[in-house]
Amino acid sequence: ALTEGDFIYVDYEATNFTNFFGFAPDYISGAMSVNGDDAIELFKNGTVIDVFGEITHAGNPSWDYKDGWVYRLDNTGPDGTTFVAGNWDIEPGALIGCTDNGCMDGVPIGTFSFVLPVELIDFSAEKQADIAALSWTTASEENNAYFDIQRAGSDMRFESLSTVEGQLTTNLVSEYSFEDRNPIEGVNYYRLVQVDVDGTTTVLPTRALDFTSKDNIICYPNPASDVLNIQGVKAGATFTVLNVTGLVLKTGLMSTDQITIDDLPAGMYYLQVQQGADVTVKTFIKK
């Protein structure tokens, strides 16, 4: 069982391989000493997904692959069921040092394409005050059980926040959303891990939001009786006072550095200060 991006190394002996690469092969197989890369086929769910192309050598079209030293160029492929030579940096077989079996005409082994379980159209993360709002859209899904929503801090150690149920199999556009109401201080990294009905996982792209505190607003005294002093606001800032149920009680322009609260009943309140696109929420007690 492999996942996208995995590499496996197979050779018929380990000593020379290790001396050359600096690490041991994953598997040893005597077939490699006879057929080399012709001994390898990649399967997915019982179906071969290697790209096979008839490559004529010395008038013989029977070889599917040739030995060679090749690298896929950045931002190319996969190429489906064809081999696109222009997407590869093909080097002569200098490391092999042979002239037979077509080794001077490098052709990559394992040129295959993945059919992803979900076709992701978009995945975005947006700051909404102190909330991280995630949204994503899929064009199609195949056996998609659910999305595991994960978050990491600067240590990049992802942990699951929640799950959102998928659509199993559909060719219709599907939209999803999730809110992280308690982001951690600093940069928050969010990613989706798609989980198939059989438990197979696919890690989707990562997004980042910076919740580094830039709050210099101070409210005092707290508790307060008649006047709440506000320090650190800029000209043009507006304020909103809400009770604990979210009901708006007061709004206005911060023309001074004070807000009169003598008309409020005793209790706890939220002060929301907006400066441009930045919104700061403070809690205060009215005596």
Side-chain angles (χ1 to χ4, degrees):
L2 298 173
T3 58
E4 183 175 2
D6 284 351
F7 290 85
I8 57 172
Y9 302 91
V10 186
D11 202 353
Y12 63 89
E13 57 84 37
T15 302
N16 291 326
F17 183 100
T18 304
N19 290 339
F20 184 85
F21 289 103
F23 58 89
D26 296 301
Y27 300 99
I28 299 296
S29 171
M32 300 301 292
S33 67
V34 180
N35 294 318
D37 49 51
D38 296 329
I40 298 176
E41 287 185 344
L42 185 66
F43 284 76
K44 180 178 181 181
N45 296 330
T47 301
V48 176
I49 59 174
D50 289 318
V51 170
F52 284 87
E54 283 195 332
I55 302 170
T56 301
H57 173 68
N60 186 345
S62 61
W63 288 312
D64 292 306
Y65 301 122
K66 301 176 186 177
D67 296 319
W69 199 255
V70 293
Y71 304 89
R72 180 177 280 282
L73 299 178
D74 289 344
N75 302 314
T76 64
D79 305 311
T81 58
T82 60
F83 168 60
V84 181
N87 289 344
W88 297 84
D89 177 12
I90 304 175
E91 300 293 336
L95 292 173
I96 305 173
C98 65
T99 57
D100 59 356
N101 198 27
C103 69
M104 298 302 291
D105 303 314
V107 175
I109 63 171
T111 310
F112 51 87
S113 82
F114 287 95
V115 178
L116 294 177
V118 300
E119 183 181 352
L120 191 66
I121 297 176
D122 177 66
F123 173 39
S124 63
E126 180 183 355
K127 285 180 64 177
Q128 296 179 355
D130 294 330
I131 295 173
L134 311 181
S135 61
W136 63 100
T137 306
T138 62
S140 64
E141 301 179 23
E142 182 178 351
N143 297 323
N144 179 28
Y146 62 91
F147 295 96
D148 182 16
I149 304 165
Q150 299 182 350
R151 182 188 68 192
S154 57
D155 59 0
M156 296 303 291
R157 297 180 62 180
F158 282 93
E159 296 181 350
S160 178
L161 289 178
S162 183
T163 60
V164 173
E165 186 175 342
Q167 301 296 321
L168 296 179
T169 299
T170 179
N171 289 320
L172 300 177
V173 172
S174 303
E175 297 182 346
Y176 301 89
S177 62
F178 174 78
E179 290 185 345
D180 179 11
R181 295 184 170 272
N182 296 289
I184 58 179
E185 172 72 16
V187 178
N188 289 244
Y189 297 93
Y190 297 95
R191 74 180 184 188
L192 303 173
V193 177
Q194 182 274 324
V195 183
D196 279 0
V197 292
D198 64 358
T200 303
T201 60
T202 302
V203 179
L204 300 177
T206 300
R207 301 291 182 260
L209 291 176
D210 190 353
F211 282 89
T212 301
S213 177
K214 299 177 182 178
D215 179 14
N216 296 316
I217 295 178
I218 300 174
C219 300
Y220 66 95
N222 193 6
S225 55
D226 299 324
V227 174
L228 186 66
N229 297 295
I230 314 296
Q231 178 181 314
V233 295
K234 301 175 183 178
T238 59
F239 74 89
T240 302
V241 176
L242 309 91
N243 65 14
V244 292
T245 66
L247 179 65
V248 175
L249 303 177
K250 285 176 173 286
T251 61
L253 180 68
M254 291 292 302
S255 55
T256 67
D257 57 0
Q258 291 183 335
I259 297 175
T260 301
I261 59 170
D262 58 354
D263 55 339
L264 296 178
M268 186 176 74
Y269 296 89
Y270 298 112
L271 172 68
Q272 179 177 293
V273 178
Q274 182 162 356
Q275 304 181 93
D278 295 328
V279 177
T280 300
V281 178
K282 295 289 185 179
T283 302
F284 70 91
I285 304 294
K286 164 66 188 302
K287 293 192 293 186

